[in-house]
Amino acid sequence: VNCAGILAPGRTVSKKGPMNLDKFSKVLQVNVAGTFNVIRLSAHQMTRNEPNGKGDRGVIVNTASIAAFDGQIGQAAYAASKGAIASMTLPIARDLSSFGIRICTIAPGIFKTPMMAELTEEQCNALTANVPWPQRMGDPDEFAMMVQSVIENQMLNGETIRLDAALRMQPK
């Protein structure tokens, strides 16, 4: 299970000038290249596994974000990185299919994570106010249940699954 993710908020152009390209690149390096690195190395090891009774040799679950689809103002780097993770899921599923290795990506909405713990209570309330139902942050065990479902359901392959309580992020 890949859960790489860092933020580097900043507008493309602000009163201070253009966004720092190194800042943008670091987000892509950690979130995209880091995720791909774990995929390629773990998949290589999985090719050596004996297939289970269904022919599976392994399952990889990546973490994107609903920001891949609903990126907010000042989050171009994060949205681009999570969009890249979602976009590479299907081609990698096709690459790994001959080995009996499956891959899916989960695109969570607002979840109780260390990254979210940095926000103030006011910021958290503002974010969850737009969540249709249930109107709260997701719990880590709900994310874990989705991972378990991906692992247990052999038909889940090459898919990006939104786990967001029907949230569609607003621009701000």
Side-chain angles (χ1 to χ4, degrees):
V1 177
N2 264 329
C3 290
I6 63 169
L7 292 169
R11 290 180 179 237
T12 307
V13 177
S14 71
K15 292 176 184 176
K16 296 177 184 178
M19 182 178 183
N20 181 293
L21 186 58
D22 290 337
K23 189 175 171 180
F24 185 91
S25 296
K26 182 177 179 180
V27 173
L28 294 179
Q29 184 65 31
V30 171
N31 296 2
V32 180
T35 295
F36 184 77
N37 192 41
V38 171
I39 292 168
R40 73 184 186 90
L41 295 172
S42 60
H44 177 70
Q45 290 299 315
M46 289 176 186
T47 64
R48 299 175 180 166
N49 292 341
E50 285 297 319
N52 67 12
K54 295 181 178 181
D56 282 338
R57 285 196 167 92
V59 180
I60 298 167
V61 180
N62 293 321
T63 306
S65 166
I66 61 170
F69 314 105
D70 304 335
Q72 294 186 292
I73 292 171
Q75 293 296 333
Y78 186 72
S81 71
K82 295 305 184 170
I85 292 167
S87 293
M88 69 181 169
T89 302
L90 181 59
I92 292 173
R94 292 172 171 166
D95 286 349
L96 300 178
S97 65
S98 64
F99 297 107
I101 299 169
R102 296 184 293 113
I103 182 170
C104 282
T105 295
I106 299 171
I110 303 168
F111 271 70
K112 295 176 190 171
T113 66
M115 189 184 306
M116 297 302 281
E118 296 174 14
L119 300 177
T120 66
E121 185 176 344
E122 183 180 310
Q123 290 170 318
C124 290
N125 290 340
L127 286 172
T128 57
N130 293 318
V131 178
W133 187 256
Q135 195 170 41
R136 60 175 174 78
M137 287 191 186
D139 290 316
D141 63 330
E142 292 168 316
F143 182 87
M145 285 189 289
M146 182 53 69
V147 170
Q148 183 176 349
S149 293
V150 169
I151 292 167
E152 292 175 348
N153 188 333
Q154 191 179 35
M155 289 303 292
L156 287 173
N157 190 18
E159 189 61 59
T160 296
I161 304 159
R162 287 183 75 126
L163 186 62
D164 61 10
L167 174 64
R168 299 304 178 261
M169 297 291 280
Q170 301 302 307
K172 291 184 182 183

